[in-house]
Amino acid sequence: MSNIAVRAENLGKDYVLKSETVHALRGVTFDVPEGDYVAIMGPSGSGKSTLLNLLGCLDRPSFGELYLGTENVATLNDNGLSDIRSKRIGFVFQSYNLIQQLNVVENIQVPLYYQGKVNRTTRKRAIELAGKVGLGDRLDHRPQQLSGGQMQRVAIARSMVNDPYYILADEATGNLDSKTTDEILCLFEELNAEGKTIIMVTHEDEVAARCRRVIRLRDGHIESDLPIEQDRQKYHYSMPTTEQPEDEEEDVAVTQAQAVTSDGFSVGDDELVIGGSSDSHDEPEIEVDIDE
Amino acid sequence: MNALMSLFRTWQLGIKSLFLHPMRSALTVLGIFIGVAAVIWLLAIGEGISQKAQEQIASLGARNIIVRSIKPPLEKLGDSNVAEFGLLRKDFNLLVNTIPQIEVAIPIREMKISFSFGNNDMDGRLVGSTTDYFNATKLKLAKGRFLSPADVDKNKDFCVLSMGIAEALFPHDDPIGKRVYCPTNQTYYEVVGILRKRTASAGIGGSLAAQDYSRDVYIPITTLNQRVGDVTRRFQSGSFYAEKVELHQATIQVKTMDDVLTVAELVKDALRTQLESGKGDIDVIVPLELLEQAETTRMMFMIFMGLIAAVSLLVGGIGIMNIMLATVTERTREIGIRRALGARQGAIQRQFLVETITLSIVGGLVGVAVGLLCPVTLEWLRDTLIENFPEEMESLPAEVRETVPIIVPISIPVSFGIAVLIGVIFGMYPAYRASRMDPIEALRHE
């Protein structure tokens, strides 16, 4: 965990609207080490979206530095940012954002396409990834033939295809029902357990509760940046009763072993887990104390 | 190799995107397709008409110069009862004897007259000429023989019938050896030959108007001079008109094509200044000049067609641009996704440009295919029309009725090339618009 996936140093963004300058992000500093699973939370207007755009290399900061690995991306031009996005970042969006005219395997390969290296090997990898997210039997389905949860699985497979520094998930469960949300979150947990770095932008506590660490923004500043247990104590919300990351090392070892032996998780595996979780899932107890 | 592969993938993707809206793509293609097909059709029809015209002119003979007497307007003739005009025999002989480049010169006299045999009669044209006439006008025999030089020398009462007259006068019999009667002059001519049918065309009349050969009866010019004389009378609207014409036409054949224009100038000059005949009542027609004129006309026609085609392709191009702009707006979200997943601006631009070019290539190919069908389609159309509206079709000029479109080979690559070029030009702006979208805005687009 010594390597840094992404590091922001005094990262800020101002927007100029007519004569007025809006300070959307007023200089934030944090690290995300490799293998971390971070939730970025905050009410609307807190700079959450701005930070997401900067972390996604969709936008350039007004000041400050942003390192992906060891590379400073704050000063890259449009082409440079495009290349970084295709090689180093995995996106998962709220509305899946698959390309309609492509099937599952092709959609998974899109980031590679823009690196100019789509071939038989990458196709094989895309098929493996599709299997891993439980869509091994839907390889040539088009997005319109898939359910929301399935589309999000394709998006997750796509986010991993370029072996990114981190997966950037933007309200990844926002369009899904609670059962599917749980499935997707389980998938994220599995991936994290395998060592994938995940940054999850969300406004839902129960989603954030399944991460390891929560960064809360308010008015363009970091309000708090705490490991999940401390965050929960500070903001008073309950943890989901299953799949608690009690013992991290063991958990990683177990899931990785499982991944090797069962050559990718099938939908069946997921459903078993969900059955256990949804029984004891008590939503009414959740206290949301974030205003707006 | 890699670049080629990547281009292929872009193209593959373009096809998939176009198939998302098959109807829209088809309509877009339609614009270009009509443009390309129109170019090929218009040029093919134009070429067909112009070749027909050139054939007609060429049938006059490229080495020929036609000196033709024209009847002047009545008021110019003065008080004389007899209209006297046209080329004189002595001038004809003078021209033939002084100009060394002349190979053959054919004197021609003609008159409208009726013919009969038994109970059958028929209006036609009596043409007096020499043996060379048949060569110069490329008439073909169906039966018997042409008039021989001996027939001409000895003022024989022989005639050669055109097929039209032969069929009218001798519906059942073999005309050879029979004698045809001319009531006007009370003369008989023995049939020695029958000509094959020939489609009406610009004939010895020399103008480009269609000339009907189908009612001609040919006799030696010497016989005509002897039997009829130089003065012909006609009864018309209550009074007699008389015409004194020594020669209606002289067809002069020059030894080589290079001499045609020189000799023509010489003849015109002589008629204007030195000869007795030709006080503005003689026309000199040079088929070679006409050929050159026809070539110029053809060029004008080509340019005109080119303009029409350019306009239709332009309209097609604007159609493509319009659709692509709508497509870009509609696919804003997709553009956002692709940008987020690492597409450079250039990649987006290429993608849309490839789609536009694909549309225009397909349009071009379909256009070429339909263009190539032009002769077949027109033939079918003409046959159908002739079958269903025989009278209306008959009343059309021969040029329209019989024109066979000839596909101009160059029109195929040119129209196709222009179609693709249009695709590139009109695809540029939509592709540029697509590539300049802000990925964040585009991702947010619903």
Side-chain angles (χ1 to χ4, degrees):
Chain A
M1 299 264 174
S2 57
N3 288 337
I4 296 296
V6 61
R7 163 179 289 159
E9 284 177 11
N10 188 31
L11 190 66
K13 180 78 188 174
D14 300 328
Y15 292 107
V16 179
L17 297 172
K18 290 175 190 164
S19 55
E20 210 180 337
T21 306
V22 178
H23 304 289
L25 204 60
R26 296 163 186 265
V28 295
T29 302
F30 63 90
D31 293 348
V32 178
E34 274 182 12
D36 206 352
Y37 186 2
V38 187
I40 295 177
M41 299 191 72
S44 64
S46 62
K48 196 172 53 170
S49 300
T50 307
L51 181 58
L52 169 86
N53 290 338
L54 292 175
L55 289 176
C57 290
L58 290 165
D59 206 353
R60 252 167 293 177
S62 306
F63 54 89
E65 310 295 341
L66 181 67
Y67 292 92
L68 264 66
T70 54
E71 191 179 0
N72 186 358
V73 299
T75 53
L76 288 176
N77 64 10
D78 192 88
N79 280 347
L81 288 177
S82 299
D83 293 348
I84 286 286
R85 289 197 296 270
S86 98
K87 288 179 187 153
R88 299 291 182 223
I89 299 172
F91 276 102
V92 179
F93 300 95
Q94 177 172 6
S95 45
Y96 330 125
N97 281 353
L98 302 181
I99 292 169
Q100 296 301 309
Q101 54 267 46
L102 302 181
N103 65 25
V104 168
V105 176
E106 288 164 338
N107 259 299
I108 293 174
Q109 292 182 87
V110 169
L112 300 179
Y113 175 79
Y114 291 114
Q115 296 174 34
K117 52 176 197 193
V118 171
N119 53 39
R120 244 181 233 131
T121 322
T122 61
R123 190 182 155 79
K124 223 173 117 189
R125 176 159 165 69
I127 293 171
E128 267 173 35
L129 286 170
K132 193 180 177 78
V133 298
L135 292 171
D137 53 346
R138 318 241 153 171
L139 296 179
D140 46 13
H141 282 49
R142 294 274 172 97
Q144 53 270 44
Q145 296 166 294
L146 300 174
S147 69
Q150 287 169 329
M151 283 198 270
Q152 200 58 297
R153 284 164 187 276
V154 177
I156 292 168
R158 180 178 68 186
S159 74
M160 292 187 292
V161 77
N162 51 356
D163 218 356
Y165 280 134
Y166 50 90
I167 295 170
L168 190 61
D170 176 19
E171 305 281 5
T173 57
N175 283 8
L176 302 173
D177 59 39
S178 59
K179 180 168 176 268
T180 322
T181 298
D182 199 60
E183 284 173 29
I184 294 296
L185 291 177
C186 287
L187 185 56
F188 276 126
E189 276 161 14
E190 281 156 19
L191 296 175
N192 179 241
E194 284 172 37
K196 302 263 186 268
T197 315
I198 299 170
I199 300 174
M200 175 87 87
V201 177
T202 183
H203 66 272
E204 292 173 272
D205 281 327
E206 62 263 45
V207 172
R210 307 207 20 190
C211 302
R212 293 166 187 251
R213 170 183 164 197
V214 181
I215 297 175
R216 290 178 185 268
L217 294 174
R218 186 176 288 273
D219 300 330
H221 294 292
I222 293 182
E223 186 184 44
S224 72
D225 178 0
L226 297 168
I228 184 65
E229 296 85 359
Q230 293 172 31
D231 186 75
R232 183 188 48 182
Q233 282 162 16
K234 185 168 175 190
Y235 292 97
H236 315 294
Y237 55 91
S238 70
M239 293 293 287
T241 43
T242 57
E243 295 274 324
Q244 285 184 28
E246 324 83 358
D247 194 345
E248 286 168 19
E249 275 76 31
E250 260 184 48
D251 196 35
V252 171
V254 168
T255 335
Q256 272 171 345
Q258 216 176 342
V260 171
T261 50
S262 64
D263 73 297
F265 298 92
S266 70
V267 181
D269 288 342
D270 286 348
E271 274 169 358
L272 275 176
V273 176
I274 295 146
S277 74
S278 54
D279 279 353
S280 45
H281 204 79
D282 35 6
E283 283 177 80
E285 276 191 44
I286 295 170
E287 298 167 38
V288 183
D289 75 340
I290 289 164
D291 24 26
E292 292 138 83
Chain B
M1 189 58 212
N2 232 343
L4 208 70
M5 202 59 207
S6 138
L7 187 71
F8 176 72
R9 300 239 176 231
T10 311
W11 183 70
Q12 223 177 7
L13 187 78
I15 301 257
K16 278 182 186 159
S17 306
L18 293 175
F19 269 106
L20 269 188
H21 300 284
M23 181 72 172
R24 180 194 295 179
S25 301
L27 286 175
T28 315
V29 161
L30 196 68
I32 288 292
F33 140 65
I34 289 175
V36 171
V39 173
I40 297 175
W41 275 59
L42 291 179
L43 287 181
I45 293 170
E47 182 72 6
I49 291 175
S50 103
Q51 284 225 359
K52 189 95 185 162
Q54 291 194 16
E55 260 170 43
Q56 289 185 357
I57 297 167
S59 77
L60 296 176
R63 282 190 293 141
N64 289 357
I65 297 162
I66 293 163
V67 182
R68 177 98 187 144
S69 305
I70 316 163
K71 185 176 175 178
L74 278 174
E75 58 267 28
K76 273 202 177 171
L77 290 172
D79 300 331
S80 152
N81 290 331
V82 181
E84 201 177 331
F85 64 92
L87 185 64
L88 304 175
R89 266 190 293 275
K90 64 171 183 183
D91 288 344
F92 173 75
N93 291 331
L94 196 64
L95 284 175
V96 174
N97 294 332
T98 19
I99 303 175
Q101 289 98 323
I102 294 178
E103 191 170 74
V104 191
I106 306 149
I108 299 162
R109 287 198 61 201
E110 60 198 36
M111 57 197 60
K112 290 220 158 37
I113 213 168
S114 65
F115 305 97
S116 67
F117 180 80
N119 293 328
N120 304 318
D121 56 15
M122 172 96 179
D123 285 337
R125 199 170 66 142
L126 187 66
V127 178
S129 189
T130 58
T131 312
D132 293 326
Y133 179 87
F134 299 100
N135 297 327
T137 50
K138 302 189 173 75
L139 291 169
K140 301 261 175 0
L141 268 180
K143 205 167 189 188
R145 63 173 179 85
F146 288 132
L147 299 168
S148 70
D151 297 337
V152 179
D153 280 349
K154 292 176 181 159
N155 308 0
K156 291 282 193 193
D157 289 334
F158 287 157
C159 70
V160 173
L161 301 185
S162 55
M163 193 53 104
I165 290 277
E167 280 171 351
L169 298 186
F170 304 94
H172 310 297
D173 309 318
D174 180 1
I176 302 285
K178 306 274 182 350
R179 297 206 317 157
V180 172
Y181 178 59
C182 289
T184 325
N185 311 317
Q186 285 138 32
T187 47
Y188 288 93
Y189 304 103
E190 187 184 331
V191 180
V192 294
I194 298 159
L195 297 175
R196 241 190 268 169
K197 229 178 216 144
R198 171 164 176 165
T199 45
S201 76
I204 51 165
S207 77
L208 278 177
Q211 179 104 28
D212 197 357
Y213 281 102
S214 66
R215 293 178 176 187
D216 283 358
V217 173
Y218 303 95
I219 62 169
I221 189 164
T222 47
T223 314
L224 186 73
N225 289 339
Q226 192 186 38
R227 298 271 179 223
V228 185
D230 290 342
V231 180
T232 52
R233 278 170 229 286
R234 246 175 337 143
F235 189 72
Q236 197 182 332
S237 31
S239 56
F240 276 102
Y241 286 94
E243 273 181 17
K244 183 165 186 276
V245 181
E246 292 192 6
L247 286 175
H248 282 94
Q249 180 176 317
T251 302
I252 297 168
Q253 198 164 61
V254 181
K255 281 172 187 146
T256 69
M257 209 115 88
D258 299 336
D259 290 333
V260 171
L261 295 179
T262 333
V263 174
E265 274 316 303
L266 214 58
V267 171
K268 282 182 196 167
D269 198 52
L271 285 170
R272 210 163 34 233
T273 56
Q274 292 164 19
L275 301 182
E276 261 178 62
S277 46
K279 305 289 176 283
D281 54 2
I282 293 178
D283 200 5
V284 178
I285 297 139
V286 189
L288 191 69
E289 265 179 17
L290 293 177
L291 269 177
E292 280 163 4
Q293 277 172 20
E295 191 58 33
T296 319
T297 317
R298 201 174 73 105
M299 285 311 293
M300 300 283 292
F301 190 75
M302 289 283 199
I303 291 168
F304 179 65
M305 289 299 167
L307 279 176
I308 293 180
V311 168
S312 75
L313 278 171
L314 190 74
V315 172
I318 291 170
I320 279 202
M321 182 154 89
N322 197 7
I323 295 288
M324 287 313 288
L325 282 174
T327 304
V328 166
T329 308
E330 192 194 80
R331 282 162 64 186
T332 301
R333 182 62 169 274
E334 183 195 325
I335 294 166
I337 301 170
R338 290 181 180 281
R339 293 282 281 131
L341 296 180
R344 290 179 172 201
Q345 290 187 343
I348 299 291
Q349 200 164 351
R350 258 196 308 283
Q351 185 193 338
F352 280 93
L353 202 54
V354 160
E355 281 181 33
T356 321
I357 294 172
T358 304
L359 282 178
S360 58
I361 285 179
V362 172
L365 287 178
V366 177
V368 166
V370 172
L372 289 176
L373 288 177
C374 171
V376 186
T377 317
L378 277 192
E379 197 180 335
W380 171 83
L381 188 70
R382 183 168 51 221
D383 289 350
T384 316
L385 283 177
I386 287 177
E387 210 167 288
N388 295 308
F389 308 98
E391 281 147 37
E392 286 84 348
M393 285 301 286
E394 197 62 38
S395 65
L396 287 176
E399 282 87 346
V400 178
R401 228 176 332 125
E402 284 161 21
T403 294
V404 178
I406 296 161
I407 287 172
V408 187
I410 191 77
S411 70
I412 292 167
V414 164
S415 59
F416 183 74
I418 291 176
V420 175
L421 197 69
I422 290 267
V424 175
I425 291 170
F426 287 91
M428 217 77 108
Y429 178 63
Y432 174 80
R433 276 258 297 249
S435 73
R436 301 304 292 203
M437 281 180 182
D438 175 17
I440 299 166
E441 291 295 322
L443 271 174
R444 218 176 285 156
H445 191 266
E446 282 308 315

